[in-house]
Each structure stands twice: as C-alpha cells, then as structure tokens.
Amino acid sequence: MLEDKPMENKQLNTAELMVKCLEAEGVEYIFGIPGEENLALVAALKNSSIQFVTTRHEQGAAFMADMYGRLTGKAGVCLSTLGPGATNLVTGVADAQGDGAPLVAITGQVGTDKMHITSHQLLDLTKMFEPITKRAKIVVRPDTIGEIVRLAFKYAESERPGATYIDLPVNISKMMVSDEEKPLKRAKANLKEFASMQNVELAAAEIFRAQNPVILAGSGAVRAGASHALTHFAEELKIPVVNTMMAKGVIPIDNPYAMMTVGIPQKDYANKILESADLVIAVGYDLVEFAPAVWNQQRKIKIIHIGSSPADTNKCYQCTVEVVGDMTESLNSIARRTTRNTEPEHAIKVYKRFSEEQKLYEEDDSFPMKPQKIIHDVRKFLGKDDILVSDVGAHKMWIGRLYGCYQPNTCIISNGFASMGIGVPGAVAAKLVHPDKKIITITGDGGFAMNSQELETAVRLGLNFAVLIFNDSGYGLIKWRQLDQYGESHNVDFTNPDFVKLAEAMNCKGYKVEKAGDLMPILEEAFKQKVPAIIDCAVDYSENTKLTEHLKKICEDPEL
C-alpha cells in the first residue's frame, strides 16, 4: 500500500492569486457575468470562500456592488468580460462614484499580444473607466497583481469613497506567478485624526454668537458613524438639523430638532429654514447632492465646515471655519466649548406647518393613490430598522420629501449620480447584506423595466423582498418638469405589461392595488412570501404639479 504523500503547494496563476487577494480583502460576493476573457478568474473562484452571484445584466451587477458598498462601507465587487460586458458596467460604476459608495470593478480584456492591432471587442477600457473612477489600472505583469488589488480597495474605501477599476488581460490571467507573491495585508485602521483645537475654538465662538444657526447634515456624517454625536450636538445646543437625501436618519425623525430633507428641485419648507440662517454648520456635507448656490446664492450666510476632509471649492461655499478631522470628536469638542439656550422657534414653526400638511393625507382613500398616502402607509408598515431602497424618478422626490427615518442607511437614495434602474438590483444586495430585515424597493414603472430581469437572480438566491411600483405609464419625473416649464408634456408616455402576470412568469408573487385600502394588507401578505413580491399601484401624479404650485406659495409666504 502506497503511503499518502503530502500535497505539494500548487503554483498559482495570476487569476488564482487575484482571488486570494480578494479573499484577503474580505470580499463576500462578486456580482457579475462570466465571459470568455474572464474564465480563468471564474474558474479560480470555484473553491473560494467568495460567492459568485451570476446576474442577468452587467448593469445589475454593478448596482448590486454599489448598494453593497453603500450599506457596508466595504467595497462591493462586480465582474464582467471585455467589450460590451464592460460598457454595460459603466452606469453602475459611475453611480457608485457619484454617490460615494466603495466599489471595485474587474473586467477581462484581450491579451496584451493583441492590443496593438485591431481586435475583436477591443476597447481601451482603462481610459474608458478613468473619468468615472478614483483609480483605473491594467495588469500587465503577474507580479503586480497584489499591489494593484490592494490599491484598488484602498482607493475605493478611502474617504470620499468611490469606484476603482482593474483591467485583467486574458493572457496575463493565465500566467503563473512566483511562489513569493502573496496578497498584501490590509493596513490597520489609522488612529483618529483630530481637528485643530484652534479651529474647534473658532467654531464654538461662531456658534455662540449666531442668532439663528442651522445644521446641514450630509452623507459624510453617515459614513463617519457620527449620527449619535450629531444628535447630541443638536440637542445640547438646540440647533435644528436639515439633512440631504443620502443622510436620512442621521438624526431620528422623531427628534424635536430634526427638520426635514432638502434636495428636491423646488424650494421647500426645509429651504426656508436654511435661508433664514445666519450660520450654517455643514456636517459631512457633499456638494454633489445639494448645490450651495441653492441656499447661499447671495453668499451672505456664514459657514462652518465639519468633515473628515477639507471643504470643497465653490464660490457659494466659502467657509468661515473648517474643522477637519474625526467628526464625532469634532462635534463633541465644539459642544463642550459653547452653549445655547434659545429654542429655534422659526424652524419649529416651519416644521409644524409641514407636519400638519402631511396629516391631511393619512386617511385619504382616493384612487389612484396619492404619492403622499402611499409613502405614509409604507412608513407605517416598515419597522424603524427596515430598509427602503428608492429607485430614481418622481417617486424619489416624494420619498425624499416625506419618508422619515430613525436610523442612518434605512432609506437608500441615489442622489449623486442618481441613475434609474437601481431599485431591483439594489434590493437584491440589501437583502444579502441584511437578511433579517424587511427590504422594500419603491420604483417607477420606467425604472422597474430597466432591471426587472434581476428578479430571476433574487429568486435563484432565495431572497424575499417587495417591489412597489408607482404605475403611471410614463416617465413621471420628466413629465413633471415638462409641465412645470412648458405647461404640456411630450414623448414620455408608454404602456406597461400586466405586472402581476410578469411577476408570476418570473416565479415571484404579484399583487395589484385596486383601492387605497388594499396597500397595507398587501404589504403584510407580500412579506409572508419566500420570493420577491411585485406590487402594482396606480399613482395619481397630478399631485406633482399641485406640489409645484404649493411650494411657490410657501416661498412667497411672509410668515415663513
């Protein structure tokens, strides 16, 4: 009988070492589609701890990686082949870059021996991804793979997070690497960097002198985990907080100093609070979401910038003081060095008006349902830590305006790049990250059709979530803008399939809301299913232009 011999260490090829590097980065999932030029990488994943999630479109894969990064703070990873596979990734990669979500995109490529000639499906992918990523690199030598992967994750996850790209030529992926090549270690988290004490003192003095300060909280405060510190800061100093769409829940909506969300195109109640300020304390504020020209066009409002990075450059965002460092420490340090005893009466008055208006829709039984009523019912149904993923369209404006959150990252809105089609793939990723939470995506019929194919992915993975479709048979947001600007609409209407039958054909569960009272019991039933549930709800978007007219009156109201 032959004795068992110890297994010799198998020499790795570049693709196999890349997988080892991805494992060292803590990657859980790779979302993507196999192709001829990435087969070595797909084969290397066979015995990996990383789960490969085969999607039905590369855009869906990129959106899943985008959402994974947004929810976890760790880079989501998406994979495609070269040429059309890579171009299909672009929208989702750009969305992650625009929203500040960490993402690493990997594609196959023709061999380096063919790049100098005309070749099938050849594009200069590194150049294509450079404008929409923080870093884009091609692997030209096997011994560089460890450094390229480590740098891709380092750039993607560093503040401000975003997308990076790795181009892996097919011949390089199959080349053997030296036994000396190993994955690079992730660097330990840096010690907290504290803001200049002089600037902390200056900020405290400005807040003490201000007659009407307002906090403008952005997505950076969510990423920094500064929610508790911000809430304590607002309570201690009695300062109202207005948040951007991507910072929903950074202060609980039931806190007396939580004062609504800014970011819809029209000026709203929250804008009235901002415009009345003599000092804006911008905490984790990202200009990409809400331009300073909207609230400081005259450049008369003093600004304190509190962030992990220095203030962006903008003529309407010239800061009196910049407090740059760990946001929690900065907020706590400033709060200890100043005091305020006056309640923000104007902000409280404005918020009261806003709240009273919303109560008018709580019992509205009209059908098609008003967007205000739909969002009220969804908020009433979901728990405080459940997650709403918003697609992009007219419904996003209503969600941004009306949906209140108690915790950060419980209402996910793409408001940097703001791409339609993120809803269904976003829900897939959200459910993978948070399997024990209720996940609902609210989408328009336009956005739903862009990536509805990923319902098959969800069914195959055994995921259950709800997709609530605002059905108006048109591109509602564009129609809203046309009506506001021209008084009429063109080229925005279409027809829809029977969404219930579509759901059943995709092995999902389908529901159709026939009257306002149906929505709550349908939501209850939907979350008892083991598969995704598609809810078709006709929406009354005549409320869009009514809101435009109403907000014009608010802007002109001398009492506000």
Side-chain angles (χ1 to χ4, degrees), residues 229-457:
L230 176 66
T231 302
H232 175 74
F233 183 89
E235 291 171 344
E236 285 291 302
L237 301 178
K238 298 177 171 52
I239 302 176
V241 180
V242 170
N243 58 266
T244 65
M245 287 193 189
M246 293 202 298
K248 276 183 169 293
V250 72
I251 179 172
I253 193 61
D254 55 356
N255 188 286
Y257 300 102
M259 299 288 168
M260 301 169 290
T261 300
V262 290
I264 68 170
Q266 301 90 342
K267 289 191 176 182
D268 203 342
Y269 283 107
N271 297 75
K272 298 293 287 187
I273 293 174
L274 267 178
E275 290 170 358
S276 68
D278 59 347
L279 174 69
V280 167
I281 305 162
V283 183
Y285 167 58
D286 191 334
L287 277 63
V288 73
E289 274 202 271
F290 183 54
V294 175
W295 54 271
N296 195 27
Q297 189 171 16
Q298 304 302 318
R299 310 179 212 174
K300 294 180 180 179
I301 302 174
K302 285 186 175 183
I303 300 168
I304 294 174
H305 172 87
I306 301 177
S308 302
S309 306
D312 207 338
T313 301
N314 187 290
K315 63 185 178 182
C316 295
Y317 192 68
Q318 299 296 300
C319 302
T320 305
V321 186
E322 292 190 35
V323 183
V324 180
D326 181 85
M327 272 185 260
T328 293
E329 292 296 330
S330 295
L331 289 164
N332 290 339
S333 294
I334 294 169
R336 286 194 295 267
R337 287 167 172 79
T338 191
T339 183
R340 295 186 59 81
N341 298 311
T342 306
E343 294 288 349
E345 294 181 4
H346 173 259
I348 292 170
K349 176 183 177 182
V350 172
Y351 185 72
K352 184 178 180 182
R353 273 272 297 269
F354 170 79
S355 298
E356 288 172 349
E357 281 185 12
Q358 305 326 308
K359 291 177 183 177
L360 300 175
Y361 299 96
E362 291 180 4
E363 304 302 327
D364 191 292
D365 61 358
S366 59
F367 192 82
M369 291 183 71
K370 290 182 172 61
Q372 301 96 316
K373 171 62 172 171
I374 300 174
I375 292 166
H376 169 268
D377 285 0
V378 171
R379 176 65 281 177
K380 184 177 179 181
F381 173 77
L382 292 179
K384 291 183 178 181
D385 64 346
D386 293 330
I387 296 174
L388 186 159
V389 175
S390 174
D391 210 314
V392 174
H395 62 280
K396 182 183 106 170
M397 302 304 156
W398 289 103
I399 292 168
R401 186 171 190 263
L402 301 178
Y403 188 82
C405 295
Y406 299 87
Q407 300 173 25
N409 277 342
T410 54
C411 178
I412 308 298
I413 298 176
S414 172
N415 203 40
F417 194 66
S419 174
M420 291 176 67
I422 195 172
V424 173
V428 170
K431 191 63 180 179
L432 287 173
V433 173
H434 294 293
D436 297 328
K437 294 185 180 183
K438 290 187 180 73
I439 309 292
I440 185 169
T441 181
I442 295 182
T443 180
D445 41 13
F448 173 74
M450 290 186 177
N451 277 307
S452 59
Q453 75 282 345
E454 300 307 339
L455 289 170
E456 188 279 328
T457 306

Side-chain angles (χ1 to χ4, degrees), residues 98-311:
D99 284 2
L103 175 149
V104 175
I106 305 168
T107 74
Q109 180 59 286
V110 302
T112 55
D113 56 329
K114 296 180 181 178
M115 289 182 178
H116 65 292
I117 57 174
T118 301
S119 186
H120 181 64
Q121 295 188 322
L122 173 62
L123 289 174
D124 190 333
L125 296 176
T126 304
K127 281 188 178 179
M128 185 179 79
F129 279 98
E130 277 176 352
I132 58 170
T133 59
K134 297 175 72 177
R135 178 183 171 88
K137 294 295 176 183
I138 183 170
V139 183
V140 294
R141 286 172 36 183
D143 63 344
T144 63
I145 194 68
E147 293 165 326
I148 288 174
V149 171
R150 177 78 282 274
L151 284 165
F153 279 82
K154 182 177 181 180
Y155 274 70
E157 294 173 352
S158 297
E159 187 66 24
R160 179 181 182 267
T164 59
Y165 167 67
I166 301 173
D167 188 357
L168 182 60
V170 62
N171 62 329
I172 303 294
S173 71
K174 297 176 181 179
M175 289 181 182
M176 306 310 289
V177 295
S178 165
D179 291 340
E180 296 176 358
E181 297 299 328
K182 306 292 182 186
L184 273 62
K185 294 180 180 179
R186 287 177 64 94
K188 292 183 179 179
N190 293 330
L191 295 174
K192 290 181 180 179
E193 295 185 6
F194 298 106
S196 156
M197 194 51 62
Q198 180 181 4
N199 286 7
V200 167
E201 297 280 2
L202 289 171
E206 289 290 346
I207 293 169
F208 181 77
R209 287 192 292 265
Q211 296 298 308
N212 192 22
V214 175
I215 296 167
L216 173 57
S219 55
V222 175
R223 291 194 299 270
S227 176
H228 292 299
L230 176 66
T231 302
H232 175 74
F233 183 89
E235 291 171 344
E236 285 291 302
L237 301 178
K238 298 177 171 52
I239 302 176
V241 180
V242 170
N243 58 266
T244 65
M245 287 193 189
M246 293 202 298
K248 276 183 169 293
V250 72
I251 179 172
I253 193 61
D254 55 356
N255 188 286
Y257 300 102
M259 299 288 168
M260 301 169 290
T261 300
V262 290
I264 68 170
Q266 301 90 342
K267 289 191 176 182
D268 203 342
Y269 283 107
N271 297 75
K272 298 293 287 187
I273 293 174
L274 267 178
E275 290 170 358
S276 68
D278 59 347
L279 174 69
V280 167
I281 305 162
V283 183
Y285 167 58
D286 191 334
L287 277 63
V288 73
E289 274 202 271
F290 183 54
V294 175
W295 54 271
N296 195 27
Q297 189 171 16
Q298 304 302 318
R299 310 179 212 174
K300 294 180 180 179
I301 302 174
K302 285 186 175 183
I303 300 168
I304 294 174
H305 172 87
I306 301 177
S308 302
S309 306

Side-chain angles (χ1 to χ4, degrees), residues 66-81:
D66 176 359
M67 187 63 62
Y68 178 93
R70 178 92 176 263
L71 287 171
T72 66
K74 301 187 298 181
V77 181
C78 54
L79 174 70
S80 81
T81 189

